[in-house]
Amino acid sequence: MIRIGVLVSGSGSNLQSIMDACAAGEIDGTVVMVISNVEGVYALERAERGGIPSRVISHADYPDREAFDAELAKALLECRVDLVCLAGFMRVLTPSFLRTFPGRVMNIHPALLPSFPGLHVRQKAIDYGVRFSGCTVHFVDEGVDTGPIIIQAVVPVYPQDTEEELKERILRLEHRIYPKAIGLFSQGRLSIDGRRVVVRGLAKDETACLINPPLGL
Ligand code: GAR
């Protein structure tokens, strides 16, 4: 049973999917703390409804990133977390924070990394004209959205998509793959080998593919 700390900055729909997966037994673990760097966000209400302790630690109250991250790390260590999950947490963590939880910080990003790291990535995918985008769960390293990839999901992108439409299409898959990644971690089935994450029990499927526009068009 792993102890999970979740960092949020917004609506917390990914937090919800993680809490639900814990309750359903799909993750062998429990969310023991939710920390938001922004007051009044809906994620905090979700935590309260789920009976999970939460705190606001506002980056604006600290002189620099080191001091803010030190406070975050302290709060998470006090809760004895085994895994830190960033779920719409819009801050970049310092190397000293990451050294406190080596190989134990995950993030979800709404694009197919390494394409479109950073911000406003759904609009960037539409503007670029890619045929597919998706979402990525990865371990966090010292770069921005550069860490070893655990799981990805793919959706088609259409030239007429609005940013909101693509966001919703991707978000539906985020809610499926983030709990899956955490579930695999909780079962001890993930190991990091340099840039690569080895998933124990993963078999190849030489026939799997996606084509957009479809060949039958
Ligand atoms: C999600 O789409 C997540 O992938 C993204 O923020 C959204 C949070 O939604 N994260 C990032 O862009 C991280 N750079 P949520 O608060 O409803 O989970």
Side-chain angles (χ1 to χ4, degrees):
M1 189 85 145
I2 59 165
R3 298 171 63 81
I4 305 164
V6 183
L7 305 188
V8 297
S9 304
S11 127
S13 68
N14 278 289
L15 164 67
Q16 188 70 56
S17 73
I18 296 166
M19 296 189 319
D20 292 348
C22 289
E26 290 156 17
I27 294 172
D28 184 16
T30 177
V31 179
V32 294
M33 174 57 78
V34 173
I35 301 176
S36 173
N37 67 314
V38 183
E39 270 190 64
V41 293
Y42 190 56
L44 292 165
E45 202 172 312
R46 293 183 194 271
E48 193 178 339
R49 284 191 199 166
I52 292 163
S54 67
R55 284 183 60 176
V56 175
I57 301 178
S58 171
H59 56 279
D61 292 341
Y62 295 84
D64 54 32
R65 295 201 309 138
E66 286 293 338
F68 170 63
D69 279 16
E71 191 60 29
L72 278 184
K74 186 165 155 266
L76 292 163
L77 286 171
E78 276 168 14
C79 301
R80 292 175 288 113
V81 300
D82 302 299
L83 179 68
V84 179
C85 291
L86 314 186
F89 183 66
M90 303 310 267
R91 307 287 303 175
V92 175
L93 293 165
T94 53
S96 43
F97 179 95
L98 295 172
R99 277 195 300 272
T100 312
F101 304 99
R104 293 189 289 135
V105 183
M106 278 185 198
N107 180 44
I108 187 149
H109 181 76
L112 285 180
L113 294 171
S115 293
F116 308 116
L119 298 174
H120 313 297
V121 297
R122 296 86 160 189
Q123 191 61 51
K124 283 178 186 163
I126 295 167
D127 293 346
Y128 194 94
V130 291
R131 295 296 185 200
F132 291 104
S133 188
C135 42
T136 304
V137 180
H138 62 94
F139 286 110
V140 177
D141 67 6
E142 295 182 10
V144 176
D145 302 324
T146 53
I149 291 170
I150 302 164
I151 186 168
Q152 294 186 301
V154 178
V155 299
V157 180
Y158 303 105
Q160 66 271 37
D161 274 342
T162 64
E163 185 177 16
E164 195 59 28
E165 283 171 328
L166 183 58
K167 180 182 169 185
E168 289 303 319
R169 194 178 301 140
I170 292 172
L171 202 52
R172 284 195 289 275
L173 286 179
E174 292 187 36
H175 299 157
R176 295 171 66 188
I177 69 167
Y178 210 174
K180 183 66 195 179
I182 299 166
L184 290 169
F185 181 92
S186 73
Q187 295 168 344
R189 289 172 63 186
L190 302 181
S191 51
I192 304 175
D193 177 17
R195 268 223 54 82
R196 292 188 293 181
V197 176
V198 179
V199 182
R200 186 158 48 79
L202 175 64
K204 287 192 194 182
D205 177 353
E206 302 290 359
T207 61
C209 73
L210 291 167
I211 302 173
N212 180 35
L215 296 183
L217 188 72

